[in-house]
Amino acid sequence: AMPAYKLYYFPVRALGEVLRQVFKLAEVEFEDIRVAGDQWTEFKDKTPFGQMPVLEVDGNPLPGSSVSQRFISSSSGLAGKTPFEAAWVDALADQWKDFQNDFRNYWYLLMGYREGDAEKAKTEHGIPARDKFYPLIVKQLKDNGSGFLVGSSATWVDLLLADQTAAISKELPGFLDAYPEVSREGKMIMPTYKLYYFNARALGEVIRQVFKLAEVDFEDVRIERDDWEGIKDKTPFGQVPVLEVDDKPIPQSHAIARFVANQHGLAGHTNIEKAWVDAIADQWKDYYGEFKKYWYVLMGYVEGDAEKARIEHGIPARDKFYPLIVKLLKANGSGFLVGSSATWVDLLLADQTAAIRKELPGFLDAYPEVLAHADRIRSIPPIKKWIEERPET
């Protein structure tokens, strides 16, 4: 039987992200348990070293990110194909740790984790650490010649370096421009995402929010209406949104949101949770299929009698769907629809609630739990920041 894996870490990328990516690359199932800040004090004493990440293997804990990465990789063919390759993977991981120990003296100030003079830290730590470490990586890539750091396929140190490179490139554009080989290696490991949709929220917005909550970069390609006819026939189903993953298209908004969420721990942490997330998404589709007969008239997308549509479709759809959501929120008890952290269906519901609240003040007042849920989701820092900064449409 396959071992049961549980990964415990905060609901951020940081030290947990590479391990999550190792599981994904190995196509090994694991439970991605994200420990909220207010749960950490109680949970801390239960960990071997008073810190995370912790990986449980059939109930037995393994502390430390590198140990866990190496453990999963070794059993999944991602730690080198020979003892010699495995030793080189370890050597590169150790070299990365030496780099990180110095570079973080700048990085932590830049990211606001510590107080201090960021420009001084950049000069004293950031640049010297970069210019010591990355030439070694460039040399290794050239010597190996496969596009990977060791051997002919990706190992866990490729993921480690690619994740670090992506984070630096996002926060410090141009900082690694002197090392283009490193950026190319990162692009081989990390998929590139392009989301095509109109310059509107509608069916594209939840996908954008999934990317933002996952803190994953994507290209937000907004199609102007005048350009649509020239693009339409190039899409799989003649409609958008379409997500390109390394130039391969995926159509349909829910399929896209589910795909990205699954890749980044936002679709439920167990098979039961994932099934419930899917069930709620399907229930939402049933609801919206009816509700939009009122909504489209209200918003001027189609002609009709808005008051009649409200009575025949809007109110019945609302009063069938939202009691189910209230029941789920009460039964789950965490403030989220499924599990102990946000999933993509929380984003789906919160975005719908916010739109209704804006256009129909008071329409959802009989469901205060739903309004509170939307406020909670929209106050999650990456979502709050996106809402404040997104294009006005």
Side-chain angles (χ1 to χ4, degrees):
M2 291 290 291
Y5 297 110
K6 291 184 180 182
L7 172 62
Y8 295 86
Y9 194 59
F10 299 109
V12 296
R13 289 164 63 185
L15 296 178
E17 183 63 16
V18 172
L19 186 49
R20 295 177 187 128
Q21 291 181 19
V22 170
F23 276 114
K24 293 296 181 180
L25 184 58
E27 299 183 317
V28 172
E29 290 287 329
F30 74 108
E31 190 173 345
D32 187 6
I33 299 172
R34 307 210 175 196
V35 180
D38 57 3
Q39 300 171 318
W40 171 234
T41 302
E42 181 183 348
F43 185 70
K44 185 176 181 180
D45 290 340
K46 299 176 184 177
T47 67
F49 295 159
Q51 60 191 33
M52 297 190 294
V54 170
L55 177 67
E56 273 190 8
V57 185
D58 289 334
N60 299 304
L62 273 178
S65 55
S66 295
V67 169
S68 298
Q69 290 157 12
R70 186 178 293 110
F71 175 82
I72 297 300
S73 298
S74 295
S75 59
S76 305
L78 300 176
K81 306 296 186 189
T82 68
F84 187 80
E85 286 187 5
W88 259 103
V89 168
D90 285 348
L92 288 164
D94 289 344
Q95 194 68 32
W96 181 87
K97 272 200 169 182
D98 291 345
F99 155 75
Q100 183 66 12
N101 284 338
D102 194 19
F103 185 73
R104 69 184 177 188
N105 291 317
Y106 166 47
W107 185 255
Y108 285 7
L109 297 184
L110 178 73
M111 299 302 290
Y113 304 150
R114 295 178 185 167
E115 293 184 358
D117 185 337
E119 194 55 40
K120 182 181 178 185
K122 178 177 181 176
T123 303
E124 294 182 355
H125 300 284
I127 292 173
R130 175 196 68 185
D131 294 342
K132 179 181 179 183
F133 177 67
Y134 281 98
L136 303 177
I137 296 301
V138 170
K139 182 177 185 299
Q140 180 65 20
L141 286 168
K142 288 180 176 178
D143 289 349
N144 193 43
S146 68
F148 302 102
L149 285 166
V150 178
S152 59
S153 58
T155 64
W156 68 274
V157 287
D158 288 293
L159 299 176
L160 185 68
L161 181 68
D163 189 66
Q164 175 82 68
T165 301
I168 292 174
S169 298
K170 178 181 178 182
E171 301 296 336
L172 291 167
F175 189 74
L176 297 178
D177 281 358
Y179 306 102
E181 300 87 350
V182 173
S183 295
R184 282 198 295 273
E185 194 261 357
K187 288 175 182 176
M188 287 180 66
I189 304 300
M190 304 291 285
T192 57
Y193 299 107
K194 284 186 182 180
L195 175 64
Y196 293 86
Y197 193 60
F198 300 114
N199 187 27
R201 287 160 61 189
L203 297 177
E205 183 61 16
V206 170
I207 302 165
R208 295 175 185 130
Q209 291 186 20
V210 173
F211 277 116
K212 292 298 177 180
L213 185 57
E215 298 182 278
V216 171
D217 287 330
F218 73 108
E219 188 175 343
D220 188 6
V221 182
R222 300 196 174 219
I223 302 166
E224 297 300 331
R225 297 284 175 177
D226 292 345
D227 299 328
W228 171 232
E229 287 303 318
I231 296 170
K232 185 176 180 180
D233 288 343
K234 299 175 184 177
T235 67
F237 294 160
Q239 59 191 35
V240 283
V242 169
L243 178 69
E244 280 188 358
V245 185
D246 291 335
D247 298 325
K248 296 181 178 68
I250 300 173
Q252 283 287 351
S253 58
H254 280 203
I256 295 166
R258 184 180 293 112
F259 171 81
V260 178
N262 267 313
Q263 297 300 304
H264 301 288
L266 300 175
H269 301 318
T270 67
N271 288 335
I272 290 290
E273 287 187 4
K274 288 176 182 179
W276 263 103
V277 167
D278 286 349
I280 294 168
D282 288 346
Q283 194 68 29
W284 184 91
K285 273 201 165 184
D286 290 346
Y287 148 77
Y288 195 67
E290 182 68 16
F291 184 73
K292 69 183 181 183
K293 295 172 185 175
Y294 166 46
W295 185 252
Y296 284 11
V297 176
L298 176 74
M299 299 299 290
Y301 303 149
V302 298
E303 294 183 1
D305 184 334
E307 188 54 35
K308 182 182 178 186
R310 174 187 174 104
I311 293 168
E312 293 182 357
H313 302 288
I315 291 172
R318 176 196 67 184
D319 293 343
K320 179 180 179 183
F321 178 68
Y322 283 99
L324 303 177
I325 297 300
V326 170
K327 183 181 177 183
L328 282 171
L329 287 167
K330 287 181 176 178
N332 194 38
S334 67
F336 303 103
L337 286 166
V338 179
S340 59
S341 58
T343 64
W344 70 274
V345 287
D346 288 294
L347 299 175
L348 180 69
L349 182 68
D351 187 65
Q352 174 77 68
T353 301
I356 292 174
R357 183 187 259 173
K358 179 182 177 184
E359 302 297 336
L360 292 167
F363 189 74
L364 296 178
D365 281 358
Y367 305 102
E369 298 88 352
V370 172
L371 300 176
H373 170 266
D375 290 340
R376 181 179 300 107
I377 300 305
R378 291 164 68 82
S379 67
I380 297 172
I383 301 302
K384 184 174 185 289
K385 185 172 186 287
W386 167 248
I387 290 170
E388 291 169 352
E389 296 178 355
R390 68 189 175 188
E392 190 67 37
T393 62

